[in-house]
Amino acid sequence: MGRATKKEGKTEVYPFWNMEDIRNMMNYFKRKGMWHWYLVFNLGLLLGRRVSDTLSFKWSDFLYENGRMKDEIEIREQKTGKITRPYVCGACKEALQFYMDQTGADPMKHFHDFIITTERKSRLLKNRDAYSGEEYEKLFWEATQSQAAAYRKQFKIAAKACEIRYPVSTHSTRKTFGYWAVKLHPYDVTTIDKLQGIFSHTDRNTTLHYIGIAREDEVKIYEDNGAFIKDVIDGKKPAVKNSPVISLKAEDFRELLGRCWDMARTGEDKFEGISQLISAAEKKMV
């Protein structure tokens, strides 16, 4: 079955750069009592799935028949056909429970139905045997896209009400999952590789661009250049902001810390001592 291709000239959207923007969007859907969209927004942030996949979740994806929540789900991506197995974290389970509490949804009564459904989707599911596999997939895709369009409309209204000034869309929640994963693990050099696997990207650069890290780095170049020009205009000496990062083995790092302690005890000139330590670190860098 064919899928819609990305429109030429379509504006690229970014992740939610600011935590406050995420909170404001959640509070907007809460105030309006839009519990369906509140849950979809949350699941997008917590699972990093595309909206079409999020709207296709069934209660049986998250629950065992005894009502206990699963720790892992298995889905087939509508866009790619690939099988993925997102982990269901505690916050995701809480979001589902909160949705049940607010809506009175009974997942065991509708165990095989969609969590966020429409009359059109429920009718298709009920009469699935009346269609061939390919025909059902086509009709289900169209029904899901219609539902996604309704979400996109409300999302756009919410983003405007929250005064978010950079381009965002329903796809931003998926990008936000990746962006904040990197920010929360600043010293884990494998985070991008893990996200590459989660998003099924072909290379690291695609992932860096996708989650907005590449754009953030570009913005920093603009900001630093702007500060440089301002310093030139003001007659100041421009400051070099990016000092090199030096990687050291643990034993070498301990040795340098020991030398720092010895310098402090002997009262050695701190400026001379710092220069010596930097030189020593550069020689031992990995």
Side-chain angles (χ1 to χ4, degrees):
M1 177 174 53
R3 293 286 185 263
T5 56
K6 187 175 181 179
K7 294 181 180 179
E8 187 175 348
K10 186 177 181 180
T11 301
E12 181 178 0
V13 299
Y14 301 132
F16 285 95
W17 304 118
N18 307 313
M19 290 180 285
E20 185 179 357
D21 293 333
I22 298 173
R23 183 169 57 251
N24 289 342
M25 288 287 289
M26 288 184 176
N27 288 337
Y28 176 88
F29 289 129
K30 273 186 176 181
R31 288 196 308 271
K32 298 290 184 178
M34 295 179 175
W35 304 118
H36 293 343
W37 303 146
Y38 178 80
L39 179 62
V40 174
F41 185 81
N42 267 273
L43 293 181
L45 295 169
L46 295 168
L47 296 173
R49 300 298 94 196
R50 296 180 181 89
V51 174
S52 57
D53 293 326
T54 302
L55 292 173
S56 301
F57 286 142
K58 297 177 182 178
W59 286 111
S60 57
D61 290 324
F62 290 91
L63 299 170
Y64 294 107
E65 291 186 354
N66 63 3
R68 186 170 66 86
M69 286 195 184
K70 299 177 181 178
D71 293 327
E72 181 181 278
I73 61 176
E74 180 177 294
I75 63 172
R76 181 174 66 86
E77 294 182 341
Q78 287 195 34
K79 182 177 180 180
T80 67
K82 294 179 180 179
I83 300 297
T84 61
R85 295 179 176 83
Y87 178 77
V88 184
C89 66
C92 187
K93 294 175 182 178
E94 290 179 9
L96 287 165
Q97 185 61 57
F98 182 79
Y99 174 77
M100 287 185 266
D101 294 341
Q102 296 301 317
T103 63
D106 185 349
M108 304 316 295
K109 184 178 179 181
H110 303 281
F111 189 67
H112 295 292
D113 202 354
F114 302 106
I115 298 176
I116 311 295
T117 193
T118 63
E119 183 179 346
R120 183 178 176 184
K121 285 172 61 178
S122 293
R123 187 169 61 249
L124 271 172
L125 187 62
K126 184 178 180 180
N127 300 301
R128 182 167 186 169
D129 293 340
Y131 306 98
S132 66
E134 185 176 346
E135 186 180 15
Y136 176 83
E137 289 293 329
K138 180 177 182 297
L139 292 172
F140 178 69
W141 171 260
E142 293 172 351
T144 303
Q145 291 307 301
S146 177
Q147 187 183 23
Y151 175 47
R152 291 188 186 99
K153 179 180 179 180
Q154 293 302 324
F155 185 101
K156 185 176 180 180
I157 294 172
K160 183 177 181 180
C162 294
E163 298 183 350
I164 297 173
R165 303 183 185 279
Y166 46 92
V168 293
S169 75
T170 55
H171 203 58
S172 293
T173 53
R174 178 169 159 89
K175 295 190 174 190
T176 301
F177 174 92
Y179 174 80
W180 283 102
V182 173
K183 292 300 177 181
L184 291 169
H185 303 88
Y187 306 112
D188 186 348
V189 297
T190 67
T191 300
I192 295 297
D193 299 298
K194 295 167 187 172
L195 289 170
Q196 182 184 336
I198 289 173
F199 291 138
S200 299
H201 289 159
T202 56
D203 57 74
R204 285 170 55 89
N205 285 337
T206 298
T207 303
L208 284 167
H209 179 80
Y210 183 80
I211 65 177
I213 296 297
R215 179 56 178 171
E216 186 179 52
D217 291 342
E218 291 172 355
V219 169
K220 189 175 188 309
I221 289 176
Y222 281 101
E223 290 287 358
D224 288 348
N225 281 356
F228 166 75
I229 295 300
K230 188 174 185 303
D231 285 343
V232 170
I233 293 172
D234 294 342
K236 298 178 182 178
K237 182 180 179 180
V240 178
K241 297 185 178 181
N242 289 328
S243 299
V245 176
I246 299 175
S247 299
L248 298 172
K249 293 180 180 179
E251 56 268 27
D252 291 335
F253 183 56
R254 280 194 291 269
E255 179 187 337
L256 291 174
L257 287 177
R259 291 176 63 176
C260 285
W261 176 254
D262 291 339
M263 288 178 182
R265 294 179 62 188
T266 59
E268 186 173 339
D269 181 78
K270 68 176 181 179
F271 295 107
E272 178 63 26
I274 289 172
S275 296
Q276 292 178 15
L277 287 171
I278 291 175
S279 297
E282 289 173 341
K283 292 177 182 178
K284 293 178 179 292
M285 69 179 178
V286 178

